[in-house]
Amino acid sequence: MDTYIQNTLQINERVLIAPKLHWAVYFDIYFQLSLLYILACQGLDVFIAYDIDYRNFFERSQMYIGLAVLVRIVYLIIHYYSIEMAVTNYRVVCKIGVFNIKTEELANDRIESVSVRQTILGRILNYGDIFFSGTGTSKLVFKKVYAPWWIKSKSEDFIRQSYTINSRQPIYHQL
C-alpha cells in the first residue's frame, strides 16, 4: 500500500528522514482502555450484587459511557496511524487524517529555523515536538516524534545541503 508521501514525490525527490511517533503518544489510548476495563468490572459487579431497578440504571449508564470510550479509542488509533511525516531533499511534509486529510508542506529553501520542544517526560523518554519555521508566518510541526534532537540535526544537514546545491545556480546580473 502506497503512502501519501510516496504518491506525492516529485521527479528526483527522495525521502531522507521519515520520523516515527514515539510510543508515549499512546498513553491516552492506554488510559482510555483502563477506564473501559474499570467500567466493565464495575458493571459486572453491579450486575451480580444489586437488585433489578438499581442494576438497570447502572447497566445503561455504564454501557453508554463504555461505548463512548470505545469510540474514542478507535478514533485515536485511526488518528495516530494516519499521521505521516517526512523530510525529503526538496521539502518537509506532514499529513494527518484518513477521511479529512490535512497536509502541510514547507520547501527546504524556505526553512529559516528548526527547533525542538521537549517536556521533562519527553527528555526522559526521548520524544518531543520539532518546529520547522519558514519565511513569513509559515510553520510546520512534527508532534511527539522519537529522537527529536537527532532528527533536528539530520534535517538541518539535509536542508543546508539542498540550499547550497540550489544556490550554486549561476547568477546573472542585469547590466
Side-chain angles (χ1 to χ4, degrees):
M1 186 169 102
D2 289 338
T3 64
Y4 168 81
I5 293 174
Q6 290 174 344
N7 289 334
T8 60
L9 290 177
Q10 300 171 9
I11 297 173
N12 297 327
E13 183 178 19
R14 65 189 197 291
V15 175
L16 304 173
I17 302 172
K20 300 294 180 199
L21 290 176
H22 193 271
W23 58 267
V25 299
Y26 301 109
F27 281 156
D28 194 23
I29 294 173
Y30 300 144
F31 176 75
Q32 300 281 333
L33 281 172
S34 63
L35 180 64
L36 190 61
Y37 176 74
I38 290 169
L39 286 172
C41 289
Q42 192 176 26
L44 186 61
D45 185 42
V46 167
F47 182 76
I48 293 170
Y50 297 109
D51 63 3
I52 302 283
D53 294 331
Y54 199 57
R55 185 174 57 203
N56 287 337
F57 171 75
F58 274 107
E59 281 179 4
R60 287 191 195 111
S61 63
Q62 285 185 334
M63 183 180 68
Y64 293 134
I65 292 171
L67 185 62
V69 169
L70 188 62
V71 168
R72 173 85 173 144
I73 290 169
V74 170
Y75 168 78
L76 289 173
I77 290 171
I78 291 172
H79 176 74
Y80 288 140
Y81 281 107
S82 70
I83 296 174
E84 294 181 43
M85 301 172 278
V87 177
T88 70
N89 53 339
Y90 293 157
R91 61 196 168 133
V92 178
V93 184
C94 182
K95 183 265 251 191
I96 300 172
V98 175
F99 303 111
N100 296 330
I101 296 175
K102 175 186 171 190
T103 61
E104 295 177 345
E105 298 182 12
L106 200 55
N108 286 351
D109 58 347
R110 300 289 183 219
I111 294 175
E112 292 179 343
S113 68
V114 181
S115 59
V116 173
R117 184 176 302 154
Q118 279 185 314
T119 61
I120 293 173
L121 186 61
R123 294 279 296 171
I124 294 169
L125 298 177
N126 194 21
Y127 73 88
D129 300 337
I130 303 174
F131 294 85
F132 295 90
S133 299
T135 55
T137 59
S138 59
K139 187 175 274 193
L140 188 136
V141 181
F142 289 170
K143 292 189 177 202
K144 293 186 180 179
V145 295
Y146 176 73
W149 293 102
W150 181 83
I151 293 172
K152 175 189 183 296
S153 173
K154 291 298 179 187
S155 299
E156 288 176 333
D157 290 343
F158 292 133
I159 290 166
R160 191 176 321 112
Q161 287 173 1
S162 68
Y163 182 73
T164 56
I165 289 171
N166 292 339
S167 65
R168 290 184 186 161
Q169 301 292 333
I171 300 173
Y172 299 103
H173 295 287
Q174 198 172 22
L175 298 175

